[in-house]
């Protein structure tokens, strides 16, 4: 039947989508730190200084994004390796 899929696959797709959205959000949060590391100009240093005054902490992005990336990737691997053919 066209357009039908199992509830398990729907739940997997939604959870996976949320995971990838969180990884993207972590990357956006890390953009100032990445730009400062790559370019390292006076402007990016000033940007990081001003952000640090307001509580910006790139460690949150590295740890949170890294953990979500690992869990999402592992979940995708498990799904496609073990369950994709069943549902």
């Amino acid at each position: 039947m066209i357009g039908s899929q199992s509830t398990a696959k729907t739940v997997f797709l939604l959870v996976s989508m949320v995971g990838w959205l969180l990884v993207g959000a972590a990357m956006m949060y890390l953009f100032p730190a990445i730009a400062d590391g790559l370019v390292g100009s006076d402007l990016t240093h000033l940007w990081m200084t001003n952000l640090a005054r307001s509580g910006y902490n790139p460690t949150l992005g590295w740890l949170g994004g890294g953990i979500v990336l690992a869990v999402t990737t592992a979940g995708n691997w498990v799904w496609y390796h073990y369950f994709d053919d069943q549902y």
Side-chain angles (χ1 to χ4, degrees):
M1 180 183 274
I2 295 176
S4 65
Q5 67 184 19
S6 70
T7 303
K9 185 164 190 168
T10 302
V11 170
F12 161 74
L13 291 171
L14 290 172
V15 170
S16 179
M17 178 184 64
V18 169
W20 290 117
L21 285 171
L22 289 173
V23 169
M27 291 175 67
M28 288 188 291
Y29 184 78
L30 287 171
F31 179 77
I34 293 170
D36 188 44
L38 290 176
V39 178
S41 69
D42 290 338
L43 183 60
T44 60
H45 293 317
L46 178 62
W47 191 12
M48 288 299 292
T49 301
N50 289 335
L51 286 171
R53 287 183 190 149
S54 65
Y56 176 74
N57 185 0
T59 304
L60 296 171
W62 289 117
L63 288 177
I67 290 169
V68 172
L69 176 64
V71 169
T72 302
T73 303
N76 276 278
W77 182 83
V78 167
W79 174 266
Y80 287 113
H81 192 265
Y82 293 108
F83 299 111
D84 193 36
D85 294 335
Q86 297 175 11
Y87 296 98

